[in-house]
Amino acid sequence: QQQVKQSPQSLIVQKGGISIINCAYENTAFDYFPWYQQFPGKGPALLIAIRPDVSEKKEGRFTISFNKSAKQFSLHIMDSQPGDSATYFCAASNHNQGGKLIFGQGTELSVKP
Amino acid sequence: EAGVAQSPRYKIIEKRQSVAFWCNPISGHATLYWYQQILGQGPKLLIQFQNNGVVDDSQLPKDRFSAERLKGVDSTLKIQPAKLEDSAVYLCASSRDIYNSPLHFGNGTRLTVT
Protein backbone atom coordinates (compact mmCIF):
# COMPACT_ATOMS: atom_id res chain seq x y z
CA GLN A 1 0.00 0.00 0.00
CA GLN A 2 3.02 2.23 0.38
CA GLN A 3 4.11 1.78 -3.23
CA VAL A 4 4.16 4.39 -5.96
CA LYS A 5 4.19 2.86 -9.44
CA GLN A 6 5.73 4.90 -12.26
CA SER A 7 5.66 4.45 -16.04
CA PRO A 8 7.19 4.35 -18.55
CA GLN A 9 10.65 3.21 -17.46
CA SER A 10 12.22 5.13 -20.34
CA LEU A 11 11.00 7.71 -22.81
CA ILE A 12 12.43 9.20 -25.99
CA VAL A 13 10.92 12.47 -27.25
CA GLN A 14 11.84 14.80 -30.09
CA LYS A 15 12.82 18.37 -29.27
CA GLY A 16 9.68 20.48 -29.01
CA GLY A 17 7.47 17.52 -28.22
CA ILE A 18 5.47 16.73 -25.09
CA SER A 19 6.86 14.31 -22.49
CA ILE A 20 4.31 12.54 -20.28
CA ILE A 21 5.17 10.42 -17.25
CA ASN A 22 2.53 8.69 -15.16
CA CYS A 23 2.34 7.56 -11.54
CA ALA A 24 -0.22 5.61 -9.53
CA TYR A 25 -0.54 5.16 -5.78
CA GLU A 26 -2.67 3.11 -3.41
CA ASN A 27 -2.42 4.85 -0.05
CA THR A 28 -5.28 7.36 0.08
CA ALA A 29 -3.61 9.03 3.08
CA PHE A 30 -0.91 10.49 0.84
CA ASP A 31 -1.36 14.27 0.72
CA TYR A 32 1.71 15.59 -1.07
CA PHE A 33 2.91 14.58 -4.54
CA PRO A 34 6.23 16.01 -5.78
CA TRP A 35 8.24 15.31 -8.89
CA TYR A 36 12.03 15.23 -8.72
CA GLN A 37 14.56 15.59 -11.54
CA GLN A 38 17.94 13.86 -11.31
CA PHE A 39 20.95 14.35 -13.55
CA PRO A 40 23.82 11.81 -13.59
CA GLY A 41 26.08 12.19 -10.58
CA LYS A 42 23.69 14.58 -8.84
CA GLY A 43 21.06 14.21 -6.17
CA PRO A 44 17.36 14.53 -7.01
CA ALA A 45 16.09 18.11 -7.16
CA LEU A 46 12.50 19.19 -6.61
CA LEU A 47 10.83 20.16 -9.86
CA ILE A 48 7.18 20.73 -9.02
CA ALA A 49 4.70 19.46 -6.42
CA ILE A 50 0.94 19.26 -5.94
CA ARG A 51 -1.48 18.66 -3.08
CA PRO A 52 -4.75 16.72 -3.58
CA ASP A 53 -7.04 19.72 -3.23
CA VAL A 54 -6.22 20.84 -6.79
CA SER A 55 -6.37 18.92 -10.07
CA GLU A 56 -3.60 20.71 -11.93
CA LYS A 57 -0.53 22.81 -11.25
CA LYS A 58 1.61 24.52 -13.85
CA GLU A 59 5.07 26.01 -13.52
CA GLY A 60 6.57 27.16 -16.80
CA ARG A 61 6.78 24.19 -19.16
CA PHE A 62 6.02 21.69 -16.38
CA THR A 63 2.48 20.66 -15.42
CA ILE A 64 1.20 18.14 -12.89
CA SER A 65 -2.23 16.65 -13.51
CA PHE A 66 -3.84 14.97 -10.50
CA ASN A 67 -6.79 12.56 -10.51
CA LYS A 68 -7.76 11.82 -6.92
CA SER A 69 -10.52 9.31 -7.73
CA ALA A 70 -8.21 7.26 -9.95
CA LYS A 71 -5.27 7.70 -7.54
CA GLN A 72 -3.07 8.78 -10.40
CA PHE A 73 -0.94 11.79 -11.22
CA SER A 74 1.22 12.70 -14.16
CA LEU A 75 3.96 15.08 -15.23
CA HIS A 76 3.72 16.84 -18.58
CA ILE A 77 6.77 18.59 -20.02
CA MET A 78 5.77 20.91 -22.84
CA ASP A 79 8.21 21.95 -25.59
CA SER A 80 10.74 19.37 -24.36
CA GLN A 81 14.38 20.40 -24.71
CA PRO A 82 17.62 18.37 -24.81
CA GLY A 83 18.49 19.94 -21.44
CA ASP A 84 15.45 18.19 -19.97
CA SER A 85 17.15 14.82 -20.54
CA ALA A 86 17.35 13.35 -17.05
CA THR A 87 15.70 10.79 -14.80
CA TYR A 88 12.37 11.85 -13.32
CA PHE A 89 10.91 10.45 -10.11
CA CYS A 90 7.41 10.85 -8.79
CA ALA A 91 6.94 10.59 -5.05
CA ALA A 92 4.26 10.75 -2.38
CA SER A 93 4.10 11.43 1.33
CA ASN A 94 1.72 11.95 4.23
CA HIS A 95 2.34 14.80 6.66
CA ASN A 96 1.00 12.61 9.49
CA GLN A 97 3.71 10.04 8.79
CA GLY A 98 6.69 12.36 9.13
CA GLY A 99 6.63 13.64 5.58
CA LYS A 100 8.99 10.96 4.34
CA LEU A 101 8.85 10.50 0.58
CA ILE A 102 8.02 7.20 -1.12
CA PHE A 103 9.57 7.29 -4.60
CA GLY A 104 8.53 5.70 -7.87
CA GLN A 105 11.01 3.66 -9.87
CA GLY A 106 12.01 6.52 -12.15
CA THR A 107 11.70 7.40 -15.84
CA GLU A 108 14.77 8.05 -17.94
CA LEU A 109 13.87 10.80 -20.41
CA SER A 110 15.94 11.45 -23.52
CA VAL A 111 15.07 14.46 -25.69
CA LYS A 112 16.53 14.18 -29.16
CA PRO A 113 17.57 17.39 -30.99
CA GLU B 1 21.83 29.05 0.88
CA ALA B 2 24.46 26.32 0.90
CA GLY B 3 23.15 22.91 -0.10
CA VAL B 4 23.40 19.54 1.61
CA ALA B 5 27.03 18.47 1.79
CA GLN B 6 28.07 14.82 1.65
CA SER B 7 31.41 13.08 1.75
CA PRO B 8 33.13 11.14 0.41
CA ARG B 9 31.81 11.25 -3.17
CA TYR B 10 33.03 7.76 -3.96
CA LYS B 11 34.11 4.78 -1.91
CA ILE B 12 35.28 1.33 -2.95
CA ILE B 13 35.61 -1.36 -0.29
CA GLU B 14 35.76 -5.12 -0.10
CA LYS B 15 32.89 -7.13 1.36
CA ARG B 16 32.97 -7.52 5.12
CA GLN B 17 34.81 -4.19 5.50
CA SER B 18 33.24 -1.19 7.20
CA VAL B 19 32.49 2.24 5.76
CA ALA B 20 31.09 5.55 7.01
CA PHE B 21 29.37 8.40 5.22
CA TRP B 22 29.00 11.95 6.46
CA CYS B 23 26.25 14.50 5.85
CA ASN B 24 25.90 18.19 6.72
CA PRO B 25 22.33 19.39 6.12
CA ILE B 26 21.14 22.85 5.17
CA SER B 27 21.45 25.21 8.11
CA GLY B 28 18.26 25.33 10.17
CA HIS B 29 16.75 22.16 8.72
CA ALA B 30 15.44 20.05 11.56
CA THR B 31 14.73 16.90 9.59
CA LEU B 32 17.43 14.73 8.02
CA TYR B 33 17.01 11.63 5.86
CA TRP B 34 19.30 8.92 4.55
CA TYR B 35 18.16 7.24 1.35
CA GLN B 36 19.68 4.31 -0.55
CA GLN B 37 19.49 4.46 -4.34
CA ILE B 38 20.37 1.25 -6.17
CA LEU B 39 21.23 1.71 -9.85
CA GLY B 40 18.10 2.07 -11.95
CA GLN B 41 15.75 2.42 -8.97
CA GLY B 42 14.14 5.19 -6.98
CA PRO B 43 15.59 6.27 -3.64
CA LYS B 44 14.52 4.15 -0.68
CA LEU B 45 14.37 5.62 2.81
CA LEU B 46 16.74 4.09 5.35
CA ILE B 47 16.31 6.41 8.33
CA GLN B 48 14.74 9.74 9.24
CA PHE B 49 15.83 12.06 12.06
CA GLN B 50 13.98 14.97 13.61
CA ASN B 51 16.68 17.04 15.33
CA ASN B 52 18.74 14.31 17.03
CA GLY B 53 15.90 11.82 17.49
CA VAL B 54 14.97 8.96 15.16
CA VAL B 55 11.52 9.30 13.55
CA ASP B 56 11.60 6.23 11.32
CA ASP B 57 14.23 3.51 10.94
CA SER B 58 11.90 0.70 9.93
CA GLN B 59 13.76 0.08 6.64
CA LEU B 60 17.28 0.23 8.13
CA PRO B 61 19.04 -3.18 8.21
CA LYS B 62 20.04 -2.77 11.82
CA ASP B 63 22.28 -5.84 11.92
CA ARG B 64 24.78 -3.98 9.73
CA PHE B 65 23.69 -0.36 9.32
CA SER B 66 23.77 2.33 11.99
CA ALA B 67 23.26 6.08 11.91
CA GLU B 68 23.49 8.93 14.32
CA ARG B 69 22.84 12.64 14.35
CA LEU B 70 24.63 14.07 17.33
CA LYS B 71 23.69 17.61 18.34
CA GLY B 72 20.92 17.59 15.73
CA VAL B 73 23.11 18.82 12.86
CA ASP B 74 25.62 16.57 11.08
CA SER B 75 24.91 12.90 10.58
CA THR B 76 26.91 9.77 9.87
CA LEU B 77 25.74 6.51 8.35
CA LYS B 78 27.85 3.41 8.91
CA ILE B 79 27.82 -0.03 7.34
CA GLN B 80 29.62 -2.87 9.11
CA PRO B 81 30.18 -5.40 7.65
CA ALA B 82 29.38 -4.48 4.04
CA LYS B 83 27.81 -6.90 1.60
CA LEU B 84 27.90 -6.89 -2.20
CA GLU B 85 24.22 -5.85 -2.31
CA ASP B 86 25.06 -2.65 -0.41
CA SER B 87 26.57 -1.22 -3.60
CA ALA B 88 24.47 1.87 -4.21
CA VAL B 89 24.40 5.65 -3.95
CA TYR B 90 23.68 6.84 -0.43
CA LEU B 91 21.79 10.11 -0.49
CA CYS B 92 21.35 12.48 2.41
CA ALA B 93 18.46 14.94 2.37
CA SER B 94 17.18 17.59 4.73
CA SER B 95 13.96 19.53 5.14
CA ARG B 96 12.71 22.33 7.33
CA ASP B 97 10.28 20.11 9.21
CA ILE B 98 8.40 16.81 9.03
CA TYR B 99 5.20 18.28 7.56
CA ASN B 100 5.74 17.73 3.84
CA SER B 101 8.37 20.44 3.51
CA PRO B 102 10.46 20.03 0.33
CA LEU B 103 13.40 17.67 0.63
CA HIS B 104 16.79 18.98 -0.48
CA PHE B 105 19.23 16.27 -1.51
CA GLY B 106 22.99 16.14 -1.50
CA ASN B 107 24.87 14.62 -4.45
CA GLY B 108 25.36 11.36 -2.63
CA THR B 109 28.15 8.91 -1.95
CA ARG B 110 28.60 6.17 -4.52
CA LEU B 111 29.60 2.95 -2.72
CA THR B 112 31.02 -0.02 -4.57
CA VAL B 113 31.48 -3.25 -2.61
CA THR B 114 33.74 -5.80 -4.30
Side-chain angles (χ1 to χ4, degrees):
Chain A
Q1 195 178 16
Q2 286 289 81
Q3 281 188 321
V4 178
K5 295 183 179 179
Q6 183 173 345
S7 64
Q9 190 172 352
S10 62
L11 182 61
I12 299 174
V13 174
Q14 290 297 123
K15 178 182 175 182
I18 302 173
S19 304
I20 302 174
I21 305 171
N22 301 298
C23 280
Y25 63 97
E26 296 178 354
N27 186 351
T28 55
F30 286 146
D31 57 6
Y32 177 66
F33 302 89
W35 285 89
Y36 278 77
Q37 180 188 54
Q38 185 176 31
F39 292 104
K42 301 292 186 181
L46 179 64
L47 192 61
I48 187 173
I50 197 168
R51 299 186 191 275
D53 51 343
V54 296
S55 60
E56 185 175 282
K57 183 174 181 180
K58 183 176 181 180
E59 289 184 1
R61 296 185 294 110
F62 301 92
T63 300
I64 298 179
S65 296
F66 184 80
N67 186 328
K68 189 173 181 178
S69 60
K71 293 185 284 186
Q72 294 175 348
F73 58 111
S74 60
L75 175 69
H76 295 234
I77 306 175
M78 311 299 289
D79 187 25
S80 299
Q81 299 297 312
D84 296 331
S85 297
T87 300
Y88 292 81
F89 294 95
C90 62
S93 66
N94 176 349
H95 76 283
N96 285 324
Q97 294 177 354
K100 58 181 180 288
L101 290 175
I102 308 299
F103 283 87
Q105 300 91 324
T107 296
E108 188 173 357
L109 172 65
S110 178
V111 181
K112 299 299 185 184
Chain B
E1 64 182 1
V4 175
Q6 288 190 249
S7 67
R9 286 285 282 133
Y10 306 93
K11 191 75 177 178
I12 301 174
I13 62 172
E14 295 182 351
K15 61 183 179 183
R16 291 187 290 273
Q17 285 187 325
S18 63
V19 64
F21 313 125
W22 173 81
C23 173
N24 180 240
I26 292 173
S27 177
H29 279 195
T31 310
L32 185 147
Y33 311 77
W34 283 101
Y35 279 84
Q36 180 192 57
Q37 186 175 24
I38 293 173
L39 186 65
Q41 298 182 19
K44 171 189 154 187
L45 180 70
L46 292 175
I47 189 167
Q48 177 187 2
F49 292 93
Q50 175 69 5
N51 296 311
N52 60 352
V54 175
V55 175
D56 184 348
D57 63 358
S58 59
Q59 299 299 305
L60 188 73
K62 298 180 187 63
D63 58 334
R64 298 184 301 106
F65 286 65
S66 64
E68 60 182 9
R69 192 184 183 196
L70 299 177
K71 302 181 181 178
V73 181
D74 293 6
S75 177
T76 56
L77 176 69
K78 296 179 181 178
I79 307 175
Q80 183 180 10
K83 292 185 176 181
L84 295 176
E85 59 260 37
D86 297 333
S87 294
V89 175
Y90 290 85
L91 294 163
C92 179
S94 69
S95 65
R96 191 177 62 245
D97 56 46
I98 61 171
Y99 302 112
N100 287 341
S101 293
L103 267 64
H104 299 262
F105 283 85
N107 288 328
T109 296
R110 180 177 294 279
L111 174 67
T112 302
V113 182
T114 62

